[in-house]
Amino acid sequence: DQQVKQNSPSLSVQEGRISILNCDYTNSMFDYFLWYKKYPAEGPTFLISISSIKDKNEDGRFTVFLNKSAKHLSLHIVPSQPGDSAVYFCAASVGSSNTGKLIFGQGTTLQVKP
Amino acid sequence: NAGVTQTPKFRVLKTGQSMTLLCAQDMNHEYMYWYRQDPGMGLRLIHYSVGEGTTAKGEVPDGYNVSRLKKQNFLLGLESAAPSQTSVYFCASSYALGSGRIYNEQFFGPGTRLTVL
């Protein structure tokens, strides 16, 4: 049973446009959500996160939105740049477990065309 | 400051062989994790450790064992490799939780690509 789902395996956008990556979850106990970015032959790197007490978090060109009632989060990249081309994973955690364990989605491959 | 390092980077095994993957971190992190990444499956947690001498099972622990004898090292063992264990393995580490903090960023190593024939 996939608790965190990214239903779009790939996304292609033009440079300068907005990229929107989506993620759905089923476990209402999740209280912290993160996005990781992964380039080929490298490990994932942390991008941005959001606590369940917020509905938006912004960091430069990256904004994460959380809709708890819909159990949905999204990552907006504006403007998109060719260097943003990578695999993006959303992940969720139950903070009260005190283990830091993450449940990852399947990933979405973003291609930003010049 | 090397961060999280993994040894080896690549390995090919025959079915039934054993091997150990080594993860080392120099950030004094309490928590360490082993994940595997397979196409279309994302990253799945194999085992994790919340401190030296402690280990626990993750989502997909079968066929793997781990040890955390030193705080900076987390070893993943395959006793009898199977083709289903062909994957890319990632180690990660983070600071401990507590004092009202519910999450700390996990730092990942570069991965080990394992093929089992």
Side-chain angles (χ1 to χ4, degrees), chain A residues 4 7 10 14 34 36 43 48 54 64 69 79-80 95 107-108 113-114:
Chain A
V4 178
N7 292 316
S10 62
Q14 285 296 131
L34 308 93
Y36 277 79
I48 192 169
K54 296 185 176 181
V64 56
S69 61
S80 302
T108 296
K113 297 179 178 178

Side-chain angles (χ1 to χ4, degrees), chain A residues 72-86:
Chain A
H72 177 83
L73 66 155
S74 61
L75 174 68
H76 292 210
I77 306 174
V78 183
S80 302
Q81 299 174 353
D84 296 329
S85 297

